[in-house]
Amino acid sequence: SQPLMRLVEKSPAEGAYTSVHVATAPELRGVGGKYFVHCTAVQMPAAAENVEQCERLWELSEALTVKAGAGS
């Protein structure tokens, strides 16, 4: 990795930490529909709540996935 990237990149364990914490923490049992960053529930970005943008992203992702699969 480049020196600057080492400041922001995470190991696989560090990257998974919040997901694992949210999935296993007893105090979060029954909590759903929240967005977590560094093990803390935060407000979702406005773009994530824009249904039209989310649908467009899904369609684009599907198209790119199919295109990438066609080349293999």
Side-chain angles (χ1 to χ4, degrees), residues 2-3 5 8-9 11 15 20 28 36 39 43 46 48 58 60 66:
Q2 296 178 356
M5 287 303 296
V8 294
E9 66 185 13
S11 70
V20 172
L28 296 175
F36 286 81
C39 300
Q43 180 69 35
W58 185 267
L60 180 59
V66 169

Side-chain angles (χ1 to χ4, degrees), residues 2-28:
Q2 296 178 356
L4 183 57
M5 287 303 296
R6 287 189 200 122
L7 295 174
V8 294
E9 66 185 13
K10 295 180 178 183
S11 70
E14 291 168 331
Y17 190 84
T18 294
S19 296
V20 172
H21 171 75
V22 171
T24 61
E27 67 271 18
L28 296 175

Side-chain angles (χ1 to χ4, degrees), residues 20-69:
V20 172
H21 171 75
V22 171
T24 61
E27 67 271 18
L28 296 175
R29 182 169 297 208
V31 173
K34 303 283 185 187
Y35 179 68
F36 286 81
V37 175
H38 304 295
C39 300
T40 303
V42 297
Q43 180 69 35
M44 281 191 1
E49 296 180 1
N50 182 311
V51 175
E52 289 178 7
Q53 285 184 1
C54 291
E55 288 174 351
R56 175 69 184 125
L57 176 59
W58 185 267
E59 292 167 2
L60 180 59
S61 297
E62 281 184 322
L64 291 172
T65 301
V66 169
K67 188 174 185 178

